[in-house]
Amino acid sequence: MDKFTARQMRINAEAKLSRQFARLDEIALYNQQKVLDAFKNQSVQLRHMNGTTGYGYDDIGRDTLCKLYADVFRCESAIVSPNIVSGTHALTLMLFGVLRPGDKLLAVSGKPYDTLTDVISADNVGSLKDFGIDYDYIELKESDKIPQFDFDAIKSALKSQKIKAIFAARSRGYSLRQAICVEQIEELIKFVKEISPDTLVLIDNCYGEFVQKIEPSDVGADLMAGSLIKNIGGGIAPTGGYIAGNRHLVKQVAYRLTAPSIGMEEGSYAYGYLPYYQGLFAAPSVVRNALKGSLLFAQTYSDLGYETLPCGDMKPYDIVTSIKFGNATKLIDFCEAIQEISPIDSNVKPVPWDMPGYQDQVIMAAGAFVQGSSIELSADSPIKEPYIAYVQGGLTYEHAVLALEHTLGKLNG
Ligand SMILES: *Cc1c(COP(=O)(O)O)cnc(C)c1O
Protein backbone atom coordinates (compact mmCIF):
# COMPACT_ATOMS: atom_id res chain seq x y z
CA MET A 1 0.00 0.00 0.00
CA ASP A 2 1.38 3.45 -0.82
CA LYS A 3 1.95 6.06 1.86
CA PHE A 4 -0.92 8.28 0.84
CA THR A 5 -3.48 5.45 0.98
CA ALA A 6 -2.10 4.27 4.32
CA ARG A 7 -2.48 7.73 5.80
CA GLN A 8 -6.00 8.07 4.43
CA MET A 9 -7.00 4.72 5.91
CA ARG A 10 -5.65 5.77 9.27
CA ILE A 11 -7.53 9.08 9.19
CA ASN A 12 -10.77 7.30 8.26
CA ALA A 13 -10.29 4.89 11.14
CA GLU A 14 -9.63 7.74 13.56
CA ALA A 15 -12.87 9.44 12.53
CA LYS A 16 -14.81 6.31 13.47
CA LEU A 17 -13.09 6.18 16.85
CA SER A 18 -13.89 9.66 18.14
CA ARG A 19 -16.43 8.51 20.73
CA GLN A 20 -14.19 5.70 21.96
CA PHE A 21 -11.29 8.14 22.26
CA ALA A 22 -13.39 10.60 24.26
CA ARG A 23 -14.33 7.80 26.63
CA LEU A 24 -10.68 6.84 27.09
CA ASP A 25 -9.77 10.46 27.83
CA GLU A 26 -12.38 10.53 30.56
CA ILE A 27 -11.07 7.31 32.13
CA ALA A 28 -7.51 8.67 32.04
CA LEU A 29 -8.62 11.87 33.76
CA TYR A 30 -10.39 9.90 36.47
CA ASN A 31 -7.38 7.65 37.05
CA GLN A 32 -4.96 10.57 37.03
CA GLN A 33 -7.00 12.15 39.81
CA LYS A 34 -6.97 8.88 41.73
CA VAL A 35 -3.18 8.63 41.44
CA LEU A 36 -2.64 12.28 42.33
CA ASP A 37 -4.87 11.93 45.39
CA ALA A 38 -2.80 8.93 46.52
CA PHE A 39 0.44 10.91 46.14
CA LYS A 40 -1.02 13.69 48.27
CA ASN A 41 -2.47 11.28 50.78
CA GLN A 42 0.92 9.60 51.27
CA SER A 43 2.76 12.97 51.31
CA VAL A 44 5.26 11.72 48.77
CA GLN A 45 8.49 13.69 49.04
CA LEU A 46 11.75 13.87 47.13
CA ARG A 47 13.59 11.92 49.81
CA HIS A 48 11.39 8.93 49.00
CA MET A 49 13.15 8.65 45.65
CA ASN A 50 16.51 7.89 47.27
CA GLY A 51 18.14 4.51 46.93
CA THR A 52 19.22 2.28 49.78
CA THR A 53 21.74 -0.52 50.14
CA GLY A 54 22.24 -3.75 52.04
CA TYR A 55 19.30 -4.99 54.09
CA GLY A 56 17.28 -1.89 53.39
CA TYR A 57 15.86 -1.56 56.91
CA ASP A 58 13.54 1.44 57.22
CA ASP A 59 13.66 2.02 53.48
CA ILE A 60 11.08 4.80 53.41
CA GLY A 61 11.04 4.94 49.63
CA ARG A 62 10.07 1.29 49.40
CA ASP A 63 7.51 1.49 52.22
CA THR A 64 5.85 4.60 50.82
CA LEU A 65 5.71 3.13 47.34
CA CYS A 66 3.89 0.09 48.72
CA LYS A 67 1.39 2.32 50.55
CA LEU A 68 0.93 4.42 47.45
CA TYR A 69 -0.03 1.38 45.38
CA ALA A 70 -2.44 0.23 48.10
CA ASP A 71 -4.03 3.69 48.01
CA VAL A 72 -4.35 3.70 44.23
CA PHE A 73 -5.86 0.22 44.29
CA ARG A 74 -8.07 1.19 47.27
CA CYS A 75 -7.05 -1.97 49.11
CA GLU A 76 -5.48 -2.71 52.49
CA SER A 77 -1.93 -3.49 51.50
CA ALA A 78 0.46 -3.91 48.60
CA ILE A 79 3.95 -5.12 47.82
CA VAL A 80 5.77 -3.30 45.04
CA SER A 81 9.30 -4.34 44.42
CA PRO A 82 12.12 -4.10 41.90
CA ASN A 83 13.12 -7.52 43.25
CA ILE A 84 10.12 -9.08 41.55
CA VAL A 85 11.56 -9.95 38.14
CA SER A 86 8.37 -10.13 36.05
CA GLY A 87 4.63 -10.61 36.00
CA THR A 88 5.10 -14.36 36.12
CA HIS A 89 7.17 -13.96 39.28
CA ALA A 90 4.53 -11.72 40.90
CA LEU A 91 1.79 -14.23 40.07
CA THR A 92 3.95 -17.10 41.35
CA LEU A 93 4.50 -15.27 44.64
CA MET A 94 0.76 -14.67 44.94
CA LEU A 95 -0.01 -18.38 44.45
CA PHE A 96 2.77 -19.77 46.64
CA GLY A 97 2.08 -17.12 49.26
CA VAL A 98 -1.44 -18.30 50.02
CA LEU A 99 -1.66 -21.94 48.92
CA ARG A 100 -0.63 -24.79 51.22
CA PRO A 101 -0.20 -28.55 50.72
CA GLY A 102 -3.57 -30.22 50.27
CA ASP A 103 -5.22 -27.03 48.98
CA LYS A 104 -6.98 -26.86 45.66
CA LEU A 105 -6.63 -24.11 43.07
CA LEU A 106 -9.28 -23.65 40.40
CA ALA A 107 -8.65 -21.44 37.38
CA VAL A 108 -11.91 -20.17 35.90
CA SER A 109 -10.79 -18.11 32.89
CA GLY A 110 -9.42 -21.11 31.04
CA LYS A 111 -5.83 -22.18 31.45
CA PRO A 112 -3.72 -19.51 33.13
CA TYR A 113 -1.15 -17.60 31.06
CA ASP A 114 1.42 -19.84 29.31
CA THR A 115 4.29 -19.07 31.68
CA LEU A 116 2.23 -20.27 34.66
CA THR A 117 1.85 -23.81 33.33
CA ASP A 118 5.16 -24.98 34.79
CA VAL A 119 4.58 -22.97 37.97
CA ILE A 120 1.38 -24.86 38.59
CA SER A 121 1.90 -28.32 37.24
CA ALA A 122 5.41 -29.26 36.05
CA ASP A 123 7.15 -32.16 37.76
CA ASN A 124 10.20 -31.79 39.97
CA VAL A 125 10.74 -28.07 39.60
CA GLY A 126 9.15 -26.96 42.86
CA SER A 127 5.77 -26.36 41.23
CA LEU A 128 2.51 -26.13 43.15
CA LYS A 129 1.96 -29.74 42.14
CA ASP A 130 5.30 -30.80 43.67
CA PHE A 131 4.10 -29.26 46.94
CA GLY A 132 0.87 -31.23 46.87
CA ILE A 133 -1.44 -28.50 45.66
CA ASP A 134 -4.25 -29.78 43.48
CA TYR A 135 -5.32 -27.86 40.41
CA ASP A 136 -8.02 -27.79 37.79
CA TYR A 137 -9.37 -25.29 35.32
CA ILE A 138 -12.68 -24.37 33.74
CA GLU A 139 -12.84 -22.92 30.23
CA LEU A 140 -14.60 -19.65 29.59
CA LYS A 141 -17.80 -19.76 27.63
CA GLU A 142 -17.98 -17.40 24.71
CA SER A 143 -20.71 -15.69 22.81
CA ASP A 144 -19.58 -13.50 19.92
CA LYS A 145 -16.00 -13.43 21.22
CA ILE A 146 -17.26 -12.02 24.52
CA PRO A 147 -16.03 -14.32 27.27
CA GLN A 148 -18.35 -15.41 30.08
CA PHE A 149 -17.50 -17.32 33.21
CA ASP A 150 -19.07 -20.77 33.23
CA PHE A 151 -21.05 -20.22 36.41
CA ASP A 152 -22.72 -23.63 36.31
CA ALA A 153 -19.39 -25.40 36.21
CA ILE A 154 -17.94 -23.12 38.89
CA LYS A 155 -20.93 -23.78 41.12
CA SER A 156 -20.69 -27.54 40.87
CA ALA A 157 -16.94 -27.42 41.51
CA LEU A 158 -17.43 -25.28 44.61
CA LYS A 159 -20.21 -27.53 45.90
CA SER A 160 -18.42 -30.82 45.33
CA GLN A 161 -15.05 -30.02 46.93
CA LYS A 162 -13.20 -27.57 49.11
CA ILE A 163 -11.50 -24.98 46.94
CA LYS A 164 -8.94 -22.73 48.57
CA ALA A 165 -8.60 -20.28 45.71
CA ILE A 166 -10.20 -19.32 42.44
CA PHE A 167 -7.89 -17.79 39.86
CA ALA A 168 -8.90 -15.61 36.89
CA ALA A 169 -7.03 -13.42 34.40
CA ARG A 170 -8.40 -10.15 33.02
CA SER A 171 -6.36 -10.12 29.85
CA ARG A 172 -6.84 -12.42 26.87
CA GLY A 173 -3.42 -14.06 26.89
CA TYR A 174 -2.78 -15.64 23.51
CA SER A 175 -6.38 -16.17 22.43
CA LEU A 176 -8.70 -14.42 20.02
CA ARG A 177 -11.25 -13.21 22.50
CA GLN A 178 -12.16 -10.03 24.29
CA ALA A 179 -10.63 -9.46 27.73
CA ILE A 180 -12.72 -9.71 30.90
CA CYS A 181 -14.01 -6.50 32.46
CA VAL A 182 -13.93 -5.65 36.15
CA GLU A 183 -17.73 -5.82 36.33
CA GLN A 184 -17.51 -9.48 35.33
CA ILE A 185 -14.85 -10.04 37.99
CA GLU A 186 -17.24 -8.46 40.49
CA GLU A 187 -20.01 -10.84 39.45
CA LEU A 188 -17.59 -13.76 39.80
CA ILE A 189 -16.48 -12.72 43.28
CA LYS A 190 -20.06 -12.30 44.53
CA PHE A 191 -20.99 -15.65 43.06
CA VAL A 192 -18.02 -17.48 44.58
CA LYS A 193 -18.32 -15.88 48.03
CA GLU A 194 -22.01 -16.64 48.24
CA ILE A 195 -21.41 -20.33 47.74
CA SER A 196 -18.10 -20.55 49.56
CA PRO A 197 -17.20 -17.47 51.65
CA ASP A 198 -13.73 -18.81 52.55
CA THR A 199 -12.61 -19.39 48.98
CA LEU A 200 -10.11 -16.75 47.91
CA VAL A 201 -10.34 -14.98 44.57
CA LEU A 202 -6.95 -14.25 43.02
CA ILE A 203 -6.66 -12.13 39.89
CA ASP A 204 -4.00 -11.91 37.20
CA ASN A 205 -4.24 -8.15 36.60
CA CYS A 206 -1.58 -7.96 33.85
CA TYR A 207 -2.52 -5.49 31.08
CA GLY A 208 -5.60 -4.40 33.02
CA GLU A 209 -4.45 -1.53 35.22
CA PHE A 210 -6.06 1.85 34.44
CA VAL A 211 -7.99 0.46 31.48
CA GLN A 212 -11.17 1.10 33.47
CA LYS A 213 -11.97 3.36 36.41
CA ILE A 214 -12.10 0.41 38.78
CA GLU A 215 -9.73 -2.47 39.46
CA PRO A 216 -10.41 -5.98 40.81
CA SER A 217 -9.37 -4.68 44.25
CA ASP A 218 -12.35 -2.29 44.13
CA VAL A 219 -14.78 -5.17 43.80
CA GLY A 220 -13.47 -7.51 46.47
CA ALA A 221 -10.60 -9.48 44.91
CA ASP A 222 -8.58 -10.97 47.76
CA LEU A 223 -5.31 -10.51 45.89
CA MET A 224 -4.19 -9.40 42.46
CA ALA A 225 -0.78 -9.27 40.84
CA GLY A 226 0.86 -7.64 37.86
CA SER A 227 4.01 -6.49 36.14
CA LEU A 228 5.61 -3.04 36.30
CA ILE A 229 6.88 -3.25 32.73
CA LYS A 230 3.29 -3.28 31.61
CA ASN A 231 0.55 -0.73 32.35
CA ILE A 232 1.24 0.46 35.85
CA GLY A 233 4.95 1.16 35.44
CA GLY A 234 3.96 3.82 32.92
CA GLY A 235 6.81 2.80 30.62
CA ILE A 236 9.27 4.32 33.09
CA ALA A 237 9.66 1.65 35.78
CA PRO A 238 12.70 -0.40 34.70
CA THR A 239 11.56 -3.73 36.18
CA GLY A 240 9.43 -5.12 39.00
CA GLY A 241 6.04 -6.42 39.97
CA TYR A 242 3.30 -5.96 42.56
CA ILE A 243 0.83 -7.92 44.61
CA ALA A 244 -2.05 -6.06 46.26
CA GLY A 245 -5.12 -6.82 48.32
CA ASN A 246 -6.07 -8.10 51.74
CA ARG A 247 -3.49 -7.17 54.43
CA HIS A 248 -3.21 -10.61 55.97
CA LEU A 249 -2.72 -12.29 52.59
CA VAL A 250 -0.21 -9.70 51.35
CA LYS A 251 1.82 -10.49 54.46
CA GLN A 252 1.86 -14.17 53.53
CA VAL A 253 3.13 -13.20 50.08
CA ALA A 254 5.83 -11.01 51.63
CA TYR A 255 7.07 -14.03 53.63
CA ARG A 256 7.44 -15.83 50.31
CA LEU A 257 9.10 -12.90 48.54
CA THR A 258 11.81 -12.68 51.21
CA ALA A 259 11.63 -15.08 54.16
CA PRO A 260 9.10 -15.80 56.92
CA SER A 261 11.37 -14.07 59.42
CA ILE A 262 11.73 -10.98 57.23
CA GLY A 263 8.63 -10.12 55.22
CA MET A 264 8.79 -6.52 54.01
CA GLU A 265 11.26 -5.41 56.72
CA GLU A 266 14.13 -5.82 54.26
CA GLY A 267 14.83 -5.12 50.63
CA SER A 268 17.04 -2.38 49.24
CA TYR A 269 17.39 -0.81 45.84
CA ALA A 270 20.53 1.21 45.24
CA TYR A 271 19.32 2.99 42.09
CA GLY A 272 16.47 4.69 43.90
CA TYR A 273 12.74 4.69 43.36
CA LEU A 274 12.29 7.74 41.13
CA PRO A 275 11.23 5.76 38.02
CA TYR A 276 8.68 3.82 40.07
CA TYR A 277 6.98 6.92 41.43
CA GLN A 278 7.22 8.76 38.15
CA GLY A 279 5.99 5.74 36.21
CA LEU A 280 2.93 5.35 38.41
CA PHE A 281 2.19 9.04 38.00
CA ALA A 282 2.43 8.80 34.20
CA ALA A 283 0.60 5.48 33.91
CA PRO A 284 -3.02 6.68 33.47
CA SER A 285 -1.99 8.82 30.52
CA VAL A 286 0.37 6.25 29.04
CA VAL A 287 -2.27 3.52 29.28
CA ARG A 288 -4.72 5.83 27.51
CA ASN A 289 -2.19 6.38 24.71
CA ALA A 290 -1.66 2.64 24.40
CA LEU A 291 -5.41 2.03 24.32
CA LYS A 292 -5.92 4.62 21.59
CA GLY A 293 -3.14 3.05 19.54
CA SER A 294 -4.60 -0.37 20.15
CA LEU A 295 -8.04 0.70 18.90
CA LEU A 296 -6.49 2.40 15.90
CA PHE A 297 -4.74 -0.81 14.83
CA ALA A 298 -7.95 -2.76 15.38
CA GLN A 299 -10.17 -0.35 13.44
CA THR A 300 -7.82 0.03 10.50
CA TYR A 301 -7.13 -3.68 10.05
CA SER A 302 -10.81 -4.41 10.52
CA ASP A 303 -11.58 -1.90 7.74
CA LEU A 304 -9.16 -3.88 5.57
CA GLY A 305 -11.18 -7.03 6.19
CA TYR A 306 -9.07 -8.72 8.87
CA GLU A 307 -10.68 -10.21 11.90
CA THR A 308 -9.60 -8.12 14.89
CA LEU A 309 -10.39 -7.79 18.56
CA PRO A 310 -11.55 -5.42 19.79
CA CYS A 311 -13.78 -4.51 16.84
CA GLY A 312 -16.61 -2.09 16.19
CA ASP A 313 -17.81 -0.31 19.32
CA MET A 314 -16.39 -2.89 21.71
CA LYS A 315 -14.83 -1.28 24.74
CA PRO A 316 -11.26 -2.39 25.30
CA TYR A 317 -10.66 -4.23 28.60
CA ASP A 318 -6.94 -4.76 28.22
CA ILE A 319 -4.33 -2.93 26.15
CA VAL A 320 -3.99 -5.68 23.57
CA THR A 321 -5.28 -5.83 19.99
CA SER A 322 -5.43 -9.17 18.21
CA ILE A 323 -5.22 -9.24 14.42
CA LYS A 324 -5.80 -12.53 12.67
CA PHE A 325 -3.45 -12.77 9.68
CA GLY A 326 -4.20 -16.35 8.70
CA ASN A 327 -0.69 -17.03 7.41
CA ALA A 328 2.78 -17.00 8.89
CA THR A 329 4.40 -14.76 6.28
CA LYS A 330 1.99 -11.87 6.82
CA LEU A 331 2.29 -12.22 10.56
CA ILE A 332 6.08 -12.17 10.46
CA ASP A 333 6.07 -9.23 8.02
CA PHE A 334 3.85 -7.34 10.40
CA CYS A 335 6.12 -7.98 13.39
CA GLU A 336 9.16 -6.99 11.32
CA ALA A 337 7.46 -3.72 10.42
CA ILE A 338 6.75 -2.95 14.09
CA GLN A 339 10.40 -3.61 14.92
CA GLU A 340 11.62 -1.40 12.07
CA ILE A 341 9.69 1.56 13.40
CA SER A 342 10.80 1.22 17.01
CA PRO A 343 13.02 3.81 18.72
CA ILE A 344 15.47 1.12 19.91
CA ASP A 345 16.94 -1.77 17.90
CA SER A 346 15.20 -0.74 14.69
CA ASN A 347 18.06 -2.42 12.82
CA VAL A 348 17.20 -5.81 14.27
CA LYS A 349 15.02 -8.40 12.53
CA PRO A 350 12.79 -10.34 14.90
CA VAL A 351 12.77 -14.11 14.37
CA PRO A 352 10.60 -16.83 15.91
CA TRP A 353 12.38 -18.59 18.79
CA ASP A 354 11.81 -21.03 21.64
CA MET A 355 11.11 -18.66 24.51
CA PRO A 356 11.32 -20.05 28.02
CA GLY A 357 7.87 -20.81 29.39
CA TYR A 358 6.02 -20.95 26.05
CA GLN A 359 4.89 -24.09 24.20
CA ASP A 360 5.16 -22.85 20.59
CA GLN A 361 7.84 -20.75 18.98
CA VAL A 362 7.14 -17.07 19.58
CA ILE A 363 8.05 -14.03 17.51
CA MET A 364 8.48 -10.77 19.38
CA ALA A 365 8.90 -7.30 17.98
CA ALA A 366 10.02 -5.20 20.89
CA GLY A 367 12.16 -2.19 20.13
CA ALA A 368 11.71 -0.91 23.64
CA PHE A 369 13.73 1.26 26.03
CA VAL A 370 13.04 -1.26 28.77
CA GLN A 371 13.82 -4.78 27.57
CA GLY A 372 10.63 -6.69 26.77
CA SER A 373 8.39 -3.89 28.04
CA SER A 374 4.96 -4.34 26.53
CA ILE A 375 3.51 -1.01 27.60
CA GLU A 376 5.88 0.18 24.88
CA LEU A 377 4.71 -0.56 21.36
CA SER A 378 5.30 -4.24 20.74
CA ALA A 379 3.89 -7.13 18.77
CA ASP A 380 4.22 -10.77 19.55
CA SER A 381 2.71 -14.04 18.55
CA PRO A 382 3.09 -17.76 18.90
CA ILE A 383 3.80 -19.20 15.44
CA LYS A 384 0.71 -21.33 15.06
CA GLU A 385 -2.66 -21.35 13.33
CA PRO A 386 -4.49 -19.05 12.80
CA TYR A 387 -1.48 -16.72 12.99
CA ILE A 388 -2.75 -13.98 15.22
CA ALA A 389 -0.59 -10.96 16.00
CA TYR A 390 -0.98 -9.45 19.46
CA VAL A 391 -0.14 -5.76 19.40
CA GLN A 392 0.08 -3.72 22.54
CA GLY A 393 1.49 -0.61 24.07
CA GLY A 394 2.76 2.63 22.70
CA LEU A 395 4.11 5.26 25.06
CA THR A 396 2.80 7.92 22.72
CA TYR A 397 -0.21 7.77 20.45
CA GLU A 398 1.86 9.34 17.68
CA HIS A 399 4.22 6.38 17.70
CA ALA A 400 1.27 4.04 17.22
CA VAL A 401 0.05 6.16 14.28
CA LEU A 402 3.44 6.05 12.55
CA ALA A 403 3.83 2.35 13.26
CA LEU A 404 0.38 1.55 11.92
CA GLU A 405 1.03 3.44 8.71
CA HIS A 406 4.39 1.69 8.37
CA THR A 407 2.81 -1.76 8.70
CA LEU A 408 0.22 -0.79 6.07
CA GLY A 409 3.04 0.33 3.79
CA LYS A 410 4.56 -3.16 4.04
CA LEU A 411 1.26 -4.86 3.32
CA ASN A 412 1.02 -6.24 -0.23
CA GLY A 413 4.42 -4.81 -1.01
C1 LIG B 1 2.42 -10.66 30.53
C2 LIG B 1 1.44 -11.50 31.23
C3 LIG B 1 1.84 -12.41 32.22
C4 LIG B 1 3.27 -12.67 32.55
O1 LIG B 1 4.03 -11.55 32.76
P1 LIG B 1 5.60 -11.54 32.39
O2 LIG B 1 6.02 -10.22 32.90
O3 LIG B 1 5.70 -11.67 30.90
O4 LIG B 1 6.22 -12.67 33.11
C5 LIG B 1 0.86 -13.12 32.87
N1 LIG B 1 -0.43 -12.97 32.56
C6 LIG B 1 -0.84 -12.13 31.61
C7 LIG B 1 -2.30 -12.01 31.31
C8 LIG B 1 0.08 -11.35 30.93
O5 LIG B 1 -0.34 -10.51 29.99
Side-chain angles (χ1 to χ4, degrees):
M1 189 185 293
D2 67 63
K3 274 188 174 168
F4 177 79
T5 316
R7 178 140 293 185
Q8 206 50 55
M9 284 219 62
R10 183 266 295 176
I11 291 168
N12 291 346
E14 270 176 338
K16 294 182 194 167
L17 290 167
S18 60
R19 279 182 51 197
Q20 287 262 37
F21 281 11
R23 211 187 122 260
L24 294 176
D25 287 340
E26 199 220 315
I27 293 171
L29 185 63
Y30 178 90
N31 285 324
Q32 187 71 71
Q33 177 84 59
K34 181 160 70 171
V35 169
L36 190 57
D37 287 348
F39 270 76
K40 287 178 73 120
N41 194 32
Q42 293 301 332
S43 303
V44 176
Q45 298 159 34
L46 268 186
R47 67 193 174 99
H48 296 148
M49 313 295 133
N50 294 342
T52 54
T53 57
Y55 292 124
Y57 291 128
D58 301 316
D59 182 335
I60 188 127
R62 182 195 67 216
D63 289 346
T64 306
L65 187 65
C66 290
K67 288 183 195 155
L68 191 59
Y69 265 59
D71 244 9
V72 167
F73 285 138
R74 298 185 280 227
C75 62
E76 290 176 2
S77 183
I79 296 170
V80 189
S81 175
N83 300 321
I84 298 174
V85 303
S86 66
T88 303
H89 187 196
L91 290 157
T92 301
L93 289 167
M94 174 170 80
L95 295 171
F96 276 89
V98 301
L99 294 165
R100 296 292 178 268
D103 284 348
K104 170 141 193 176
L105 172 70
L106 179 67
V108 297
S109 56
K111 283 187 191 156
Y113 192 74
D114 304 52
T115 56
L116 291 176
T117 306
D118 286 357
V119 173
I120 294 170
S121 54
D123 288 312
N124 293 320
V125 292
S127 64
L128 291 176
K129 185 181 172 198
D130 285 338
F131 283 95
I133 292 153
D134 193 16
Y135 158 76
D136 205 354
Y137 71 94
I138 294 172
E139 288 290 359
L140 287 165
K141 296 203 292 190
E142 240 179 60
S143 59
D144 280 341
K145 306 285 178 196
I146 308 290
Q148 307 285 345
F149 291 115
D150 187 342
F151 286 112
D152 291 337
I154 295 170
K155 186 175 184 176
S156 59
L158 285 169
K159 293 214 154 166
S160 66
Q161 59 205 305
K162 191 165 162 33
I163 290 171
K164 175 66 178 285
I166 294 269
F167 177 91
R170 274 172 86 178
S171 185
R172 70 196 68 194
Y174 285 134
S175 60
L176 190 61
R177 62 159 175 87
Q178 173 74 317
I180 291 167
C181 66
V182 178
E183 288 78 3
Q184 287 174 292
I185 302 270
E186 180 174 21
E187 194 186 353
L188 172 72
I189 293 170
K190 284 191 174 142
F191 186 83
V192 169
K193 300 282 178 182
E194 183 144 340
I195 300 171
S196 175
D198 293 338
T199 298
L200 304 175
V201 180
L202 313 177
I203 304 293
D204 176 349
N205 207 29
C206 285
Y207 285 146
E209 301 92 352
F210 298 139
V211 166
Q212 297 185 252
K213 291 180 183 177
I214 50 173
E215 304 286 340
S217 47
D218 286 303
V219 297
D222 293 288
L223 282 178
M224 60 185 193
S227 164
L228 302 196
I229 62 166
K230 293 181 177 175
N231 303 21
I232 197 156
I236 301 175
T239 185
Y242 75 86
I243 299 99
N246 174 302
R247 175 172 288 110
H248 164 71
L249 298 172
V250 169
K251 207 176 234 180
Q252 301 292 313
V253 174
Y255 294 151
R256 175 55 53 167
L257 170 66
T258 58
S261 49
I262 298 171
M264 289 305 284
E265 301 294 321
E266 292 179 16
S268 65
Y269 190 60
Y271 287 119
Y273 298 99
L274 173 63
Y276 295 94
Y277 285 96
Q278 203 171 359
L280 175 63
F281 185 72
S285 174
V286 169
V287 169
R288 184 262 321 273
N289 296 343
L291 284 167
K292 281 188 176 176
S294 170
L295 290 180
L296 184 68
F297 269 94
Q299 185 66 54
T300 312
Y301 273 87
S302 165
D303 289 348
L304 278 166
Y306 291 87
E307 188 181 336
T308 69
L309 269 178
C311 60
D313 293 333
M314 234 178 229
K315 291 176 185 169
Y317 292 129
D318 62 9
I319 63 165
V320 186
T321 280
S322 330
I323 306 171
K324 185 160 121 187
F325 281 103
N327 78 64
T329 314
K330 273 191 182 172
L331 171 71
I332 292 169
D333 283 352
F334 178 85
C335 292
E336 280 180 11
I338 295 287
Q339 185 78 35
E340 282 168 7
I341 193 138
S342 298
I344 309 294
D345 293 338
S346 57
N347 57 318
V348 169
K349 216 182 173 77
V351 288
W353 64 298
D354 298 303
M355 273 188 66
Y358 294 85
Q359 312 300 331
D360 303 283
Q361 283 209 321
V362 178
I363 185 166
M364 292 219 162
F369 292 93
V370 169
Q371 188 192 73
S373 165
S374 46
I375 185 63
E376 300 185 47
L377 186 65
S378 49
D380 48 66
S381 177
I383 304 296
K384 65 171 180 193
E385 294 272 0
Y387 303 105
I388 300 165
Y390 299 87
V391 194
Q392 61 273 313
L395 297 181
T396 69
Y397 175 66
E398 290 72 18
H399 183 203
V401 166
L402 297 174
L404 169 77
E405 291 181 4
H406 186 62
T407 65
L408 294 176
K410 295 280 243 185
L411 214 62
N412 317 320

